Each structure stands twice: as structure tokens, then as C-alpha cells.
Amino acid sequence: MQLNEGKTEALLIDPQNSPNLPLSITIGQNDICFSRSVRNLGVIFDDKLSMKQQVSKICQSAYLELRRISSIRHVLTVDATKTLVTSLVLSRLDYCNSLLSGIPQQLIDKLQKVQNCSARLIFKTSKCTHVSPLLAKLHWLPIAQRIDYKMSSLCYDVVSDTAPLYLSDLLCLYVPSRSLRSSADTRIFRIPTRKKKFQGQRAFSHLGPVTWNKLPYSVRHAQTQSQFKTQL
């Protein structure tokens, strides 16, 4: 294949602002400058992996859809509004949300405000209405728990041998060096050690086991995926 320089992007990830880094990469005869952010499968990655641009894009598109639904809310039933919000707004909040694991709380709060506005729109309540009962009535998990739900589901796919290899290769079951009381638990992942907190702490290979190991024994040892999700 011939490299199309006009459509080629390169991203150099440097969370620690290291000095004297190159400004471009040479591929063949082409010199490709590093971009501040790139899009992959609809997800925006920046050179700090902060996911700020991705969260801003999600909020922007979600609020646009909420304004459109709000303009016709007076002719919609609660069920019809819930269906529209679920397909046009909630789906955006859930898309690739496992990539948002470990991001700062202020970014989670931005996404939570979108979900809160969605719940209030469905029930036509004011901005001062406490949102927790509304979320419970809709059976919606808050944003942080939705992310943990996705991470746990991916981990279950790994232990049940239904995950793709590129995920299975990232996780290792914990095998104690000697017989312990916890040896009977065959569904615990080994948490890899990180020399630097800033690097790798949000990787699936680290946060996946951390999230999974916190689950109760009965949930981790569910026989089927449907049972697992119900208990989760």
C-alpha cells in the first residue's frame, strides 16, 4: 500500500512532558509530524491520554441530542422519551467507556451531568430535583459504575475464555506460590506492579484485575454471562 501523507497521523504519547522529544517520525520517504490528538474508531486520544477531548466531544454531542428531544418532549410519552434518550444519548456515554477508567473525577462529573439531565428530561422534572431516585426508577447505573460494569464484563469474558486473544493476553490468573486459604478461588487475577504510578495505572492490564478482584466471590464465579450480569 502507498502511504497517503495527507491522511496519515502520528501520535506521540508523553504524559510527563519529557524534554527533547522528536517532533515527527519518518516512514519511508515521508516525514509525518506528531499530532496533538488523533481519532480511532470514533474515540479521540490526546498526547497526554487525559481523554479530555473525548469527554468534551461526548458531552457536546449528547447535549445536542437532548436539546432536540427536549423540543418535542411535550408530544412524547415517558416510554418514548426513554427510548430516544437511551438510543441517542446513553449509547454515546457507554461507547468505549472502559477507556475512561481512571480518569479524573471532574471528567466523570461532566458525563454524570449529562446523564442527570437525561433522567430529568424523561420525567420532566426541574434542575433542582434530586436525581438518584430518577436513576433508580430508570434502572440506570451512574457513570462511574457503568465504567466498572464494562470493565468487569470484559474480565468475565477473559475468565470464561470468550474474550479475544488481545484481551486474554493482558490478564493472568493469580496462582499462589504455596497453599493458602484463597487457593480455592480460581478466578482472581494477578495485579501487575507498576514502578511509576503515572504510567500504566489506567491500563486494562492493571485496572481490570483491580476492579474484578473487588467483586464478591459469588459474582465472579457465576456460571453464565447472563447470571453474571444480573448479579453484577
Side-chain angles (χ1 to χ4, degrees):
M1 296 180 62
Q2 183 178 2
L3 180 66
N4 187 333
E5 186 176 359
K7 295 183 179 180
T8 301
E9 294 180 297
L11 180 69
L12 177 62
I13 299 173
D14 177 37
Q16 294 181 318
N17 294 319
S18 303
N20 303 321
L21 289 177
L23 300 177
S24 62
I25 183 174
T26 301
I27 304 177
Q29 302 298 322
N30 300 284
D31 192 33
I32 309 299
C33 294
F34 290 117
S35 303
R36 299 297 299 272
S37 63
V38 297
R39 184 188 298 270
N40 184 31
L41 298 178
V43 179
I44 301 175
F45 297 91
D46 58 80
D47 56 358
K48 309 299 180 186
L49 282 185
S50 66
M51 305 305 288
K52 289 182 180 179
Q53 295 187 45
Q54 173 64 8
V55 170
S56 297
K57 184 63 178 178
I58 293 174
C59 293
Q60 180 183 0
S61 58
Y63 281 127
L64 174 61
E65 297 298 341
L66 286 175
R67 285 194 295 269
R68 290 175 173 174
I69 298 173
S70 178
S71 65
I72 59 172
R73 177 63 184 90
H74 61 284
V75 297
L76 297 174
T77 63
V78 171
D79 289 339
T81 308
K82 180 181 177 181
T83 300
L84 283 175
V85 170
T86 301
S87 60
L88 298 177
V89 179
L90 212 61
S91 61
R92 299 176 188 271
L93 298 176
D94 288 340
Y95 179 69
C96 291
N97 63 348
S98 59
L99 296 172
L100 304 179
S101 295
I103 63 174
Q105 185 61 41
Q106 59 182 358
L107 297 181
I108 295 292
D109 292 341
K110 288 184 178 181
L111 298 173
Q112 188 60 56
K113 288 181 181 179
V114 174
Q115 189 185 46
N116 295 348
C117 290
S118 302
R120 292 188 177 107
L121 176 62
I122 292 174
F123 294 108
K124 298 178 70 173
T125 60
S126 66
K127 295 181 179 180
C128 299
T129 303
H130 192 53
V131 76
S132 294
L134 304 181
L135 297 179
K137 192 173 182 179
L138 291 167
H139 300 287
W140 286 359
L141 289 173
I143 296 299
Q145 282 69 43
R146 298 179 84 87
I147 295 174
D148 288 345
Y149 185 95
K150 177 66 71 64
M151 292 286 287
S152 300
S153 298
L154 293 175
C155 289
Y156 183 85
D157 291 341
V158 173
V159 298
S160 60
D161 293 328
T162 58
L165 285 177
Y166 66 85
L167 284 182
S168 300
D169 291 343
L170 295 176
L171 304 183
C172 251
L173 289 174
Y174 172 69
V175 180
S177 57
R178 55 191 177 89
S179 181
L180 300 172
R181 183 181 299 177
S182 60
S183 301
D185 192 346
T186 58
R187 287 192 172 184
I188 292 182
F189 286 119
R190 180 175 59 84
I191 301 176
T193 57
R194 299 289 177 186
K195 293 183 179 180
K196 294 183 179 180
K197 182 180 179 181
F198 201 91
Q199 297 179 356
Q201 63 175 346
R202 287 169 44 201
F204 176 69
S205 58
H206 178 79
L207 271 185
V210 170
T211 305
W212 173 263
N213 292 350
K214 292 179 180 179
L215 299 178
Y217 179 93
S218 59
V219 178
R220 286 186 282 106
H221 286 263
Q223 296 299 315
T224 64
Q225 188 179 61
S226 60
Q227 292 178 1
F228 170 76
K229 290 186 175 182
T230 300
Q231 296 181 38
L232 184 62

